[in-house]
Amino acid sequence: MDLTTTTRVGTLVNPGETAPAAFTTLLGQIITGVSEAAGRYLGREVQSTSRTVYLDVEDGQRVFRLAAFPVTTVTSISYDPEQAFGAETALTSDDYYNPTLGTNGVLKVKTTFFPLGGFAPSALKVVYTGGMATTTANFISAYPDVSYAIDLQCSHVWHTRNFVGTVSSSGDAGSISLQAVDWLPEVKAVLDRYRVRAI
């Protein structure tokens, strides 16, 4: 999901001008690429939608991280080291703390699991809905600071797109030196506020 729009970035890059189609197309590619990179940097799924995930369970583990949060609904949670996930493996709402009441995507179960051998891969099945926003418009409304940071990063990519791989360039008009940049410092500062921390 894109975290901003071509209209917003276009206004920042070239204010007051009517954008030609080629400009909008290229800007859209930049926005999609930067948005995907931002989601990976945040370490979380951005778009809010229904998901089914299978989590590994270690001996004695009671705390699990859900990749998409805030969590809005929990449909079901099942524990089965055999990975069959029949009806008898379903946990009740009394077996875990409701993750929709938190904002950090942490699922805490009240029952301690002790899988045979101390580890059960993909043994906890969680069906839930979670994420930061359902659409780009909703994301901009809910996280205006992040969207503006993405605007800035996309603007930076736009202005330096013709210098990819260039360290410096000299000509009659002068010279330019480029510093390799991953995230702009002001963009990184915003993203860090929403980045997943280890549990």
Side-chain angles (χ1 to χ4, degrees):
M1 182 179 78
D2 288 348
L3 305 186
T4 189
T5 64
T6 56
T7 299
R8 285 170 55 97
V9 179
T11 300
L12 191 63
V13 168
N14 200 13
E17 299 293 332
T18 301
F23 173 87
T24 303
T25 299
L26 179 54
L27 216 54
Q29 293 174 353
I30 292 172
I31 289 171
T32 297
V34 171
S35 296
E36 179 65 21
R40 293 182 183 278
Y41 181 80
L42 293 173
R44 58 196 290 188
E45 297 291 340
V46 175
Q47 187 168 21
S48 179
T49 187
S50 178
R51 307 170 188 279
T52 300
V53 297
Y54 299 86
L55 305 175
D56 297 340
V57 178
E58 296 182 3
D59 202 17
Q61 185 175 3
R62 295 177 58 191
V63 179
F64 302 86
R65 169 75 71 187
L66 299 177
F69 59 91
V71 176
T72 52
T73 60
V74 176
T75 303
S76 66
I77 300 177
S78 302
Y79 172 68
D80 184 5
E82 301 301 322
Q83 302 174 341
F85 300 109
E88 71 282 358
T89 66
L91 305 184
T92 70
S93 58
D94 292 331
D95 295 324
Y96 56 88
Y97 297 97
N98 188 353
T100 66
L101 301 180
T103 58
N104 57 4
V106 174
L107 170 64
K108 299 178 181 178
V109 296
K110 300 177 183 179
T111 301
T112 304
F113 300 125
F114 294 100
L116 185 64
F119 179 77
S122 303
L124 190 68
K125 178 183 179 182
V126 185
V127 182
Y128 74 106
T129 298
M132 299 175 76
T134 54
T135 65
T136 299
N138 290 342
F139 185 90
I140 293 170
S141 177
Y143 303 95
D145 54 340
V146 178
S147 289
Y148 181 66
I150 299 302
D151 292 343
L152 293 178
Q153 188 72 33
C154 289
S155 176
H156 172 73
V157 172
W158 169 266
H159 286 300
T160 60
R161 71 192 187 284
N162 293 327
F163 298 101
V164 173
T166 302
V167 176
S168 64
S169 178
S170 299
D172 294 338
S175 61
I176 182 173
S177 295
L178 298 177
Q179 182 178 0
V181 173
D182 185 7
W183 294 106
L184 296 172
E186 55 268 52
V187 173
K188 186 176 183 294
V190 173
L191 295 181
D192 281 343
R193 292 201 291 268
Y194 297 90
R195 195 177 190 190
V196 170
R197 304 301 177 190
I199 57 173

